[in-house]
C-alpha cells in the first residue's frame, strides 16, 4: 500500500509526498499539526495542511531567511525571531556569534514536536543564548526591548500569523530595532501569489528607508520560487563575508538573490 | 469528476495538474505525446510522461535557454536549435534580429502538435528566416555548416535525446561554431539529479575554454530549480544590453543566474 500526502498549491495544482508513516498529529489551540516520515524528504512538518519544513530542504529556507539580513549588519548581538518555533532560524543565527536570541512562538506544540522529532532543526534550543517566549509576536514586539535584527519566520498571512502582515506590526518592528538594525520576512510565492509579496513590500518600503525583495529556490514550496523581504533604515549591503559552513547561502548569493525576474518586478511595480 | 495528470519527479514525489480535457494524443515513431488543457497552466505538452512546456510558464525556460548565450555574442546572425520542435526557443532567438535559424527536431509530430495547438509558442514557424529539419541532431551537426550560437533544447538524457549528452556530440558542436560562437543546453534539476548536470558540465568544460552553469526558476519542472550550461572558446560575458521585451530575463539576470548555491557547486566540485 502506498501512503501519499498532497499539498494543494492552487485549487488545480498539487505536490504529492509519498510517506512511510505518520509520526505525530496534534490539534493545538491554534493549528492542526502533522509530522510525516516521507521517503524523499525525511520528516515533513505540516501545519493546517501546508508544508512548513522538511529535513532534506529546510537548510535553504532557514539559511535564506537569516543570512541576508544578518550579513547586512556589521555586528549583530541581539536577535529576535518571531515564529520559527521549529528552531531552524535560531540555529542559523547562532552561527553569527550573537549574544542573545529570543524566539516568540505563538504555538507551544510546534516547539514540542520539533524538539522531540526534528533534532537537527531544533538543536538551537540546547544553547543557553536562546530564549523561548510562548506569545503572540505582534503583542510581544510592543514590549520587547531593542534588537539588531528581527526575523519574521511565520506561516502564511492567513490564520494565526495574520497580524504579522499588517502595517501596525511593521511600525512596532521599526521601534524595536537598534540603530542599523534590519528585519526579514518570508513573503510567499511570487508565481502563484504575487499580491501577497507586493502587499507586504508596499507597506515595508513605506515604513523603512531601504527595502529589498529577494528570492530562493525551495523545492517543497509552491512554484519552487520563494520570496523574502528585508528592510532597514540603513542601506542594504553585505557588511561581512561568510566565515562558516552553509549549504545554500554564499557571499555572491547575498546580491544575486535580490535580482528579480521581470514578471516579479512588474507585479510589484519595482525597477 | 476531476481529471488529474501527475508527473513523477522521483519515485516518491509527484506534481499533479488538474485538467479539463485531453486535446491530443499521438504515439510517434519516437515518443508518446500528450497535450492536455489544464486549469492552472493552460495547455500542457507531455512527452513520455514528462512535462515539456506549458502556456503559462514556458516563457521562463525559453527565455533562459536563449538569452544568456545570445547576449554573450556581440552580433549573432546564424543560430542552430537542436530539438526545440515546439518553436519557443526560435521565437526568442528571433528577437535578436538574426538572419537565419535552423531547427533540427527528430520528431515531426512534436512540430505538428505545437503548430496546431500552441500558436503562441510556435509562432516562429511563420517567419521566413526559420528553417526546419526533421533529423537527428547528433547526425545533422556533422554536416551543418557554421553557426554563431547553438541551443540544445532537448528532452532529458534518456530516450531519443541520449546522443545529445555524449562527448562526441560536444566535439562536433565545437567544430560547427564560428569564432566567438557559444552553445547552451538544458541540464535538468540539480536538486534531484545533480549527476546529470555535473556529468555534462565536466565534458563541456573539457572541450570548451569557458563553461558556466546557470539556473532559472521553473515552477512546472522537478524541484522548481532548473539548470543550463553555456560554453564558448571566448570568455562568457554579457556583450549587449537587452533592447526588447521579456517576462523573465533582464541584464542583471545574465550574471545572477550564474551564481550557484553551495550544494550545487559542491556537487560539481566547482568554485
Amino acid at each position: 500500500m502506498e501512503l501519499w500526502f498532497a499539498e494543494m498549491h492552487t485549487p488545480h495544482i498539487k505536490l504529492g509526498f509519498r510517506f512511510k508513516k505518520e509520526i505525530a498529529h496534534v490539534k493545538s489551540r491554534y493549528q492542526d499539526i502533522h509530522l510525516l516520515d516521507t521517503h524523499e524528504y525525511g520528516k515533513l512538518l505540516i501545519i493546517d495542511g501546508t508544508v512548513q519544513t522538511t529535513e532534506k530542504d529546510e537548510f535553504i529556507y532557514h539559511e535564506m531567511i537569516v543570512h541576508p539580513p544578518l550579513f547586512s549588519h556589521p555586528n549583530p548581538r541581539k536577535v529576535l525571531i518571531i515564529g520559527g518555533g521549529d528552531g531552524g532560524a535560531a540555529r542559523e543565527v547562532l552561527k553569527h556569534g550573537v549574544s542573545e536570541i529570543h524566539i516568540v512562538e505563538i504555538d507551544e506544540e510546534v516547539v514540542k514536536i520539533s524538539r522531540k522529532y526534528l533534532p537537527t532543526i531544533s538543536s538551537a534550543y540546547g544553547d543557553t543564548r536562546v530564549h523561548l517566549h510562548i506569545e503572540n509576536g505582534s503583542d510581544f514586539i510592543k514590549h520587547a526591548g531593542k534588537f539588531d535584527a528581527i526575523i519574521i519566520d511565520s506561516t502564511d498571512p492567513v490564520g494565526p500569523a495574520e497580524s504579522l502582515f499588517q502595517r501596525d506590526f511593521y511600525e512596532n518592528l521599526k521601534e524595536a530595532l537598534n540603530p542599523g538594525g534590519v528585519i526579514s520576512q518570508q513573503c510567499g510565492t511570487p508565481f502563484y501569489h504575487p499580491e501577497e509579496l507586493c502587499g507586504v513590500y508596499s507597506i515595508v518600503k513605506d515604513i523603512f528607508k531601504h527595502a529589498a525583495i529577494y528570492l530562493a529556490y525551495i523545492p517543497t514550496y509552491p512554484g519552487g520560487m520563494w520570496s523574502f523581504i528585508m528592510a532597514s533604515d540603513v542601506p542594504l549591503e553585505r557588511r561581512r563575508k561568510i566565515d562558516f559552513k552553509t549549504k545554500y547561502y554564499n557571499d555572491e548569493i547575498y546580491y544575486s538573490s535580490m535580482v528579480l525576474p521581470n514578471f516579479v518586478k512588474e507585479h510589484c511595480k519595482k525597477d
Side-chain angles (χ1 to χ4, degrees), chain A:
Chain A
M1 191 181 82
E2 289 196 1
L3 301 173
W4 287 86
F5 157 73
E7 181 184 6
M8 299 306 292
H9 286 179
T10 79
H12 311 303
I13 295 291
K14 61 185 173 187
L15 185 64
F17 298 77
R18 194 174 159 221
F19 67 97
K20 297 170 195 169
K21 62 173 182 173
E22 184 175 77
I23 297 170
H25 177 203
V26 177
K27 269 185 186 283
S28 77
R29 193 175 142 196
Y30 300 101
Q31 306 170 118
D32 192 25
I33 308 167
H34 288 262
L35 189 74
L36 304 180
D37 187 12
T38 73
H39 288 266
E40 187 69 44
Y41 280 95
K43 290 181 197 131
L44 163 60
L45 180 69
I46 302 159
I47 295 184
D48 292 340
T50 303
V51 167
Q52 298 299 308
T53 201
T54 81
E55 286 182 315
K56 184 173 171 179
D57 79 341
E58 57 87 14
F59 71 95
I60 305 175
Y61 176 84
H62 290 127
E63 289 186 14
M64 288 303 285
I65 200 168
V66 165
H67 298 317
L70 261 65
F71 280 110
S72 303
H73 194 286
N75 181 28
R77 304 302 296 157
K78 232 181 123 185
V79 177
L80 175 63
I81 297 166
I82 295 178
D86 58 31
R91 180 194 64 202
E92 296 303 314
V93 172
L94 280 172
K95 296 179 180 176
H96 290 261
V98 299
S99 56
E100 222 174 281
I101 300 175
H102 293 264
I103 301 175
V104 187
E105 167 62 54
I106 198 169
D107 194 341
E108 190 168 16
E109 295 301 332
V110 172
V111 178
K112 282 186 186 164
I113 282 185
S114 302
R115 295 194 70 166
K116 185 163 180 187
Y117 298 109
L118 300 168
T120 57
I121 301 178
S122 63
S123 57
Y125 285 114
D127 194 293
T128 54
R129 292 168 292 172
V130 176
H131 307 274
L132 175 66
H133 310 261
I134 301 299
E135 192 176 340
N136 182 315
S138 58
D139 294 334
F140 183 88
I141 195 70
K142 295 174 194 163
H143 61 81
K146 299 276 190 181
F147 299 91
D148 300 313
I150 303 175
I151 313 288
I152 305 119
D153 176 10
S154 68
T155 52
D156 296 325
V158 282
E162 204 172 330
S163 62
L164 305 184
F165 290 81
Q166 319 265 336
R167 192 178 181 93
D168 280 10
F169 174 64
Y170 297 102
E171 284 168 349
N172 291 331
L173 282 182
K174 185 170 158 136
E175 284 298 305
L177 282 179
N178 285 321
V182 56
I183 67 160
S184 70
Q185 179 165 28
Q186 72 95 355
C187 283
T189 164
F191 198 78
Y192 294 123
H193 296 297
E195 73 290 350
E196 188 178 305
L197 166 63
C198 302
V200 173
Y201 180 67
S202 75
I203 296 171
V204 168
K205 77 183 163 72
D206 225 40
I207 292 174
F208 290 89
K209 285 189 190 145
H210 304 274
I213 296 167
Y214 64 99
L215 303 174
Y217 293 91
I218 304 188
T220 56
Y221 286 0
M225 173 193 262
W226 213 247
S227 72
F228 303 83
I229 287 179
M230 59 176 166
S232 179
D233 277 344
V234 299
L236 292 162
E237 44 191 68
R238 195 189 65 212
R239 291 190 166 76
R240 290 176 294 126
K241 290 205 166 194
I242 191 165
D243 57 357
F244 51 77
K245 208 169 159 51
T246 45
K247 287 194 275 183
Y248 188 96
Y249 177 88
N250 55 49
D251 287 333
E252 293 71 38
I253 281 179
Y254 180 92
Y255 288 109
S256 70
S257 67
M258 288 193 255
V259 174
L260 306 178
N262 288 357
F263 77 91
V264 179
K265 290 202 273 190
E266 278 157 24
H267 273 304
C268 295
K269 292 184 185 60
K270 184 181 177 303
D271 295 317

